[in-house]
Amino acid sequence: MISSVRIVNFSILIVMCVFGRAFAQETTHSDSWNLHFQQTVVGQYHFDFHSPYSGINSLQAHEGDAYSVTSTLFLGAKLWQGGEIYFDPELAGGSGLSGAVGVAGALNGETYRIGTPAPSLAIARLYLQENIALSDSLVQMQDVQNQIGEFQPARRITITAGKYAVSDQFDANSFSHDPRSQFLNWSLMSAGAWDYPADTKGYTIGITVEYITPEYSLRAASDAVVTEANLMEFDTHLSGAHSETVEFELPHHMIGESGILRLLAFHTMAHMGNYLQAINKAYSSNTIPDITTTRAYGRSKYGFELNLEEQLSNRLGTFARASWNDGKNETWMFTEIDHSVCAG
């Protein structure tokens, strides 16, 4: 057993620089482009602790500091009425404590399970977005990362296609979603049991369709999955490797100033291994279980999530998440959590 572990975090968030055209006084004016930048540096360490046994996937009892850095440029431009393009190049590097293993709720949401901590440049997002108006009334959208400051129809259909993070559209929470400004733990930045489609760095290729109204929103996505757990390459065997997510979002005013209830469900098919088969196979041959030897197409994982946020006052808010997945087949893309509950 681990008698005690103390994790100390310190992070520096360089304030995002915003460039672009300022809003004019006309009530129907929209910006035509925007540009944002962020850089986040996170450092972590833990004191030594007693560990009677340890393996390659354990949180190490004795190790040094761990650091991560991400620098992201967010570019957005309007192409036509209702059509936009977004492009986010990102430089990322560093390592989590013990290589981001040993704890299911990994300790730094800015790090990944990668083989080398050397910084590398990659395209984080490159996608098109089309907004189809369903009403004449307009709402003002804030100028933020991956969202141009403009007026959009209050009732609309939004289609997003390309490379993106599925967590950009799903599982949002005002208080517990962004490790760059909120909680660092993986199981707090997203629902722990949601094995969401992503490569090692958290991005996927797919399409998301949203029906947005002032009363509620409904969204659904179909996304690519990787060829093997914790890799960057996407599986082109689409009939047996894909992931679907649906979410219902309901704003309300039952408690405090405002609140949002979200219900999410997902289903993923991939070339997964089966836990029970791996255990039985190891038992019959008197060997250590190896789930990779049981991988096959036709395997799936499904689950659900309840996500709640409440703005109690202009200084106080609260959140809660509860998530579950069936846990029969291999965790493929996020982290080894089958059931998770958190609140704050």
Side-chain angles (χ1 to χ4, degrees):
M1 293 183 58
I2 297 174
S3 57
S4 64
V5 181
R6 182 179 178 186
I7 307 296
V8 180
N9 307 288
F10 53 93
S11 62
I12 302 172
L13 174 62
I14 296 180
V15 178
M16 293 175 292
C17 304
V18 182
F19 304 88
R21 295 170 53 189
F23 277 100
Q25 295 300 314
E26 294 84 1
T27 58
T28 58
H29 174 77
S30 295
D31 288 349
S32 59
W33 64 278
N34 71 356
L35 186 153
H36 293 255
F37 171 79
Q38 77 81 32
Q39 184 176 67
T40 307
V41 180
V42 178
Q44 293 182 316
Y45 73 94
H46 68 74
F47 295 108
D48 294 347
F49 59 90
H50 175 63
S51 178
Y53 59 90
S54 181
I56 60 172
N57 291 321
S58 300
L59 184 68
Q60 299 303 305
H62 313 283
E63 62 178 319
D65 301 343
Y67 293 89
S68 70
V69 58
T70 58
S71 301
T72 316
L73 193 65
F74 303 87
L75 294 162
K78 295 185 67 173
L79 300 177
W80 54 77
Q81 183 63 37
E84 301 163 0
I85 186 171
Y86 292 93
F87 173 55
D88 299 353
E90 186 170 76
L91 179 69
S95 177
L97 289 169
S98 301
V101 298
V103 183
L107 304 170
N108 181 0
E110 284 288 271
T111 58
Y112 323 103
R113 288 166 182 160
I114 54 178
T116 172
S120 60
L121 182 65
I123 296 175
R125 299 174 183 85
L126 178 58
Y127 62 86
L128 293 171
Q129 193 168 85
E130 177 72 20
N131 292 285
I132 303 171
L134 300 178
S135 68
D136 294 328
S137 59
L138 300 175
V139 293
Q140 183 175 334
M141 310 300 292
Q142 292 184 340
D143 186 304
V144 295
Q145 299 170 0
N146 297 319
Q147 182 176 284
I148 295 174
E150 60 182 332
F151 285 83
Q152 290 281 9
R155 194 178 302 272
R156 64 190 182 276
I157 293 174
T158 299
I159 303 172
T160 303
K163 184 178 183 182
Y164 55 75
V166 70
S167 55
D168 292 343
Q169 286 87 22
F170 293 85
D171 190 36
N173 194 291
S174 299
F175 308 109
S176 179
H177 190 56
D178 182 7
R180 291 170 179 169
S181 60
Q182 297 169 336
F183 299 101
L184 283 166
N185 193 287
W186 284 20
S187 62
L188 290 172
M189 72 179 188
S190 295
W194 178 29
D195 191 24
Y196 63 86
D199 60 18
T200 304
K201 293 189 175 183
Y203 304 104
T204 186
I205 298 172
I207 183 169
T208 299
V209 180
E210 302 175 81
Y211 176 63
I212 301 171
T213 75
E215 297 82 22
Y216 66 91
S217 297
L218 182 65
R219 55 188 59 91
S222 182
D223 299 294
V225 301
V226 290
T227 56
E228 188 176 328
N230 197 40
L231 289 185
M232 294 292 294
E233 182 181 354
F234 290 104
D235 198 329
T236 57
H237 187 258
L238 298 181
S239 62
H242 53 85
S243 181
E244 281 66 51
T245 310
V246 295
E247 183 180 63
F248 176 73
E249 179 179 298
L250 180 67
H252 64 83
H253 300 277
M254 294 185 296
I255 304 173
E257 296 181 352
S258 63
I260 301 177
L261 172 67
R262 298 178 178 91
L263 301 173
L264 180 147
F266 76 93
H267 179 267
T268 297
M269 295 189 67
H271 191 250
M272 301 174 179
N274 179 271
Y275 291 119
L276 184 58
Q277 283 189 14
I279 293 171
N280 289 338
K281 186 175 181 179
Y283 180 79
S284 62
S285 59
N286 194 29
T287 58
I288 297 174
D290 182 359
I291 197 167
T292 64
T293 64
T294 67
R295 286 176 176 168
Y297 284 108
R299 303 272 168 72
S300 66
K301 183 183 288 288
Y302 66 90
F304 309 93
E305 180 210 2
L306 172 67
N307 180 339
L308 180 67
E309 64 175 82
E310 298 286 347
Q311 186 71 52
L312 302 178
S313 70
N314 62 350
R315 293 178 177 271
L316 181 65
T318 185
F319 72 92
R321 275 194 183 97
S323 58
W324 173 95
N325 70 54
D326 62 310
K328 296 179 180 179
N329 293 316
E330 188 176 4
T331 296
W332 202 239
M333 290 164 290
F334 187 41
T335 191
E336 292 78 7
I337 296 176
D338 293 339
H339 314 140
S340 177
V341 176
C342 65

